Amino acid sequence: SCWSRWWCCTAPTWPAAPPRVIRRVPAPHRGYGVRMAEFEAERRMPADAEQVFAIVGDLDRLGEWMPPPIGVRPTGDGEVHADVEPRGVHADGLVGVRPEQLRLEWGSEDSPDYAGWLQVEHAEPGHSSVVMHLSFLGDQPETRSHGDAPGQVRGWLDDALGRLERVVAGAS
């Protein structure tokens, strides 16, 4: 556009500054864009944030609150293996446990196609809130506008948080 050419030509430079090269990244052709889908769910918990995080931050307890189609088990320090039978997924991943932030973050070193995080938030005394977020990138069932995968993911998120609520209630 005219404005961007003007900005490139009139951007201030200092006498000793090296020449600036500004490149435009071409937009993908229509219909060939990268697909992405984000899913998020939140649930109020019947315990203080620190008590809830003690459960979610213990990777050995993941099986207590993950929904049945998703099997996640720790395999090493900050490493897990996930099996999602309905998708034929069998993958290793990394989990960052951040107690000072009451946060978990996960993904894979090998692929940016999937990542997620879980945040425990303070609420009124005796309660907290948990937000769980999943991101899918690329040509996956979860990023397609048709099919039942997006609905399944939303159901699995809700189920995981419901199970977590029951585990937390039983521990209080």
Side-chain angles (χ1 to χ4, degrees):
S1 74
C2 179
W3 182 86
S4 65
R5 282 193 303 272
W6 173 84
W7 184 83
C8 292
C9 298
T10 62
T13 60
W14 303 104
R20 293 177 55 190
V21 177
I22 299 175
R23 296 182 187 171
R24 287 187 151 187
V25 176
H29 296 286
R30 186 178 195 107
Y32 294 99
V34 174
R35 294 179 182 183
M36 183 172 187
E38 306 271 348
F39 300 90
E40 191 168 287
E42 182 172 1
R43 176 81 51 114
R44 182 182 160 149
M45 296 290 154
D48 290 329
E50 290 77 12
Q51 291 172 287
V52 174
F53 192 79
I55 293 169
V56 299
D58 181 353
L59 300 183
D60 288 323
R61 297 187 73 178
L62 288 171
E64 293 179 40
W65 57 275
M66 282 285 122
I70 301 170
V72 181
R73 60 181 162 66
T75 57
D77 188 30
E79 297 176 356
V80 295
H81 181 81
D83 294 305
V84 185
E85 291 302 330
R87 298 282 185 275
V89 172
H90 306 282
D92 294 321
L94 302 173
V95 177
V97 179
R98 314 238 184 282
E100 71 283 358
Q101 298 175 359
L102 301 175
R103 185 178 179 92
L104 298 179
E105 297 173 345
W106 59 88
S108 169
E109 282 185 324
D110 300 329
S111 172
D113 293 351
Y114 169 76
W117 53 262
L118 181 146
Q119 180 71 52
V120 182
E121 300 174 343
H122 292 278
E124 68 275 4
H127 293 88
S128 59
S129 180
V130 173
V131 178
M132 195 169 180
H133 183 97
L134 304 175
S135 300
F136 296 87
L137 180 67
D139 187 22
Q140 301 184 60
E142 295 80 6
T143 63
R144 296 183 193 130
S145 58
H146 59 281
D148 61 349
Q152 281 182 327
V153 171
R154 286 184 202 94
W156 291 340
L157 276 172
D158 189 52
D159 190 13
L161 293 177
R163 289 168 172 271
L164 178 58
E165 181 181 21
R166 289 188 291 280
V167 170
V168 167
S172 308

